[in-house]
Amino acid sequence: MDKTYYLTYVVGKRGVGKTTLLAHFATEYMLPPRSLADLRQCKNEIASLRAGGWDNLSLAPHVKHLVYVVDDTFIAKGLGYLPRVSMALQFEKIGLYDGVHEVSYLLPYAKIFLPEIQSKLDSRKSMTAERVADNFLRYVERQRKVGVQMWADTQLDDSVDKRFRNLADKLIEVQGKQDYRDKYGQLIKTVWYCLEFADIRQYTRFKDTGDLRLTTPITYTHCGNIYQCVNSYAGKEYFYNGMTGNFHTELSRPTGNDKQAMLARCEQYPLFKANNKEQSVWTN
């Protein structure tokens, strides 16, 4: 039986294919039998919680899988008449409920993807960042209890909070990727060439010594067009309004480079709302 990794940390230079590799991992959990098995486990977990008096826990009717993506990076996997898309998730609301800070209720066995994690968990300290980081890291430490798994990527591995890096039980350095096309020019396959490490300490020793015995070369292959599954520009609309956040746990929708769609989304989700508290089935 394959080992379950609860925090996979992906590093590599700009443009080597880190985001598309995360999208590849995400789409793997959008197809039966994996997605159906996770939902089945999730329902059993929730039934146990309800038996203990947690009556407010429920599965939202539109949930087809358990893939969440921070930063609204759109990820989809076509299933003919039943396409599946990722759920958008606000990073600041990932954490343990403490009766004070608003958090999003994440389903057991959820798969959470964190592109460009250095922008959320910068190794440089600030009071706001420390509060968010502490709340988030406590959640990461305990997520194994309910089977939640995370994937995160960054360009520079030492730019991310050291506490987060040390929690990784698998590290992947992306060396590069190659796209394969058929005779008609259509993309049929993408292959990522990577080095795999057991943890950040092993990776640090490898960087210091260059000893290839510390690493395992590995390739990941996605059959089909990975660029139809991921839209890493989906958060771009926030920069039109000078925003750097304000994401919501909802079905993610592609916007691409359609400026009108981006501006319409900004209008739908302004940075400051008239009402003080949003109502959501995903929020405690």
Side-chain angles (χ1 to χ4, degrees):
M1 185 175 180
D2 293 337
K3 178 182 176 181
T4 298
Y5 295 97
Y6 293 98
L7 176 56
T8 301
Y9 192 41
V10 180
V11 301
K13 297 179 180 178
R14 183 188 298 272
V16 295
K18 299 186 301 297
T19 301
T20 51
L21 180 59
L22 256 63
H24 164 69
F25 292 147
T27 58
E28 290 293 301
Y29 290 99
M30 292 183 177
L31 292 173
R34 279 191 174 183
S35 59
L36 296 179
D38 281 342
L39 280 174
R40 199 175 299 115
Q41 288 179 300
C42 178
K43 290 178 179 178
N44 293 336
E45 187 79 24
I46 288 177
S48 300
L49 292 172
R50 281 207 185 102
W54 292 58
D55 295 330
N56 62 319
L57 302 181
S58 64
L59 275 174
H62 59 263
V63 174
K64 305 297 184 184
H65 56 83
L66 302 169
V67 173
Y68 300 81
V69 182
V70 171
D71 272 2
D72 205 20
T73 299
F74 172 73
I75 293 177
K77 185 66 176 179
L79 287 177
Y81 64 92
L82 186 62
R84 297 168 184 255
V85 295
S86 58
M87 305 292 292
L89 180 63
Q90 188 174 354
F91 175 79
E92 290 77 9
K93 292 184 180 179
I94 304 176
L96 298 175
Y97 185 62
D98 58 4
V100 179
H101 304 108
E102 187 178 4
V103 298
S104 295
Y105 169 62
L106 300 176
L107 299 175
Y109 307 102
K111 317 303 176 189
I112 303 175
F113 291 84
L114 305 157
E116 302 294 345
I117 187 62
Q118 77 280 357
S119 64
K120 311 295 184 305
L121 291 173
D122 198 318
S123 56
R124 296 169 295 180
K125 296 182 178 180
S126 69
M127 292 192 63
T128 303
E130 279 293 290
R131 182 193 66 76
V132 173
D134 288 343
N135 198 34
F136 172 76
L137 290 169
R138 285 198 300 271
Y139 177 81
V140 176
E141 290 171 350
R142 302 184 190 183
Q143 65 185 351
R144 289 169 169 79
K145 300 292 185 182
V146 291
V148 173
Q149 294 174 258
M150 291 187 177
W151 287 257
D153 77 64
T154 184
Q155 293 178 29
L156 301 172
D157 67 280
D158 57 356
S159 64
V160 179
D161 192 301
K162 185 177 180 180
R163 295 169 295 174
F164 179 78
R165 287 180 282 151
N166 288 339
L167 290 171
D169 49 14
K170 182 178 182 180
L171 188 143
I172 300 172
E173 182 183 76
V174 182
Q175 302 280 295
K177 69 176 174 65
Q178 185 172 355
D179 295 332
Y180 292 86
R181 301 179 182 274
D182 62 16
K183 63 180 181 180
Y184 303 105
Q186 295 180 328
L187 184 62
I188 58 173
K189 182 174 69 173
T190 298
V191 179
W192 293 265
Y193 301 94
C194 309
L195 298 177
E196 189 172 295
F197 302 85
D199 52 39
I200 190 67
R201 290 173 289 278
Q202 188 181 63
Y203 180 57
T204 301
R205 290 198 301 272
F206 169 75
K207 290 197 301 179
D208 292 339
T209 64
D211 188 352
L212 292 175
R213 292 175 297 180
L214 294 170
T215 183
T216 303
I218 189 170
T219 60
Y220 296 96
T221 302
H222 182 90
C223 295
N225 188 344
I226 186 63
Y227 303 104
Q228 291 180 345
C229 299
V230 60
N231 172 13
S232 60
Y233 297 97
K236 190 175 177 181
E237 66 268 28
Y238 296 100
F239 291 96
Y240 282 108
N241 281 359
M243 302 180 187
T244 57
N246 191 35
F247 303 102
H248 303 262
T249 309
E250 61 170 17
L251 283 172
S252 181
R253 297 178 178 85
T255 55
N257 294 315
D258 185 346
K259 184 174 180 179
Q260 290 302 119
M262 294 177 182
L263 293 175
R265 184 172 172 83
C266 287
E267 185 176 351
Q268 184 180 2
Y269 299 115
L271 187 59
F272 301 103
K273 288 183 174 291
N275 56 326
N276 294 327
K277 188 172 183 180
E278 298 177 38
Q279 298 298 321
S280 171
V281 295
W282 299 96
T283 303
N284 284 336

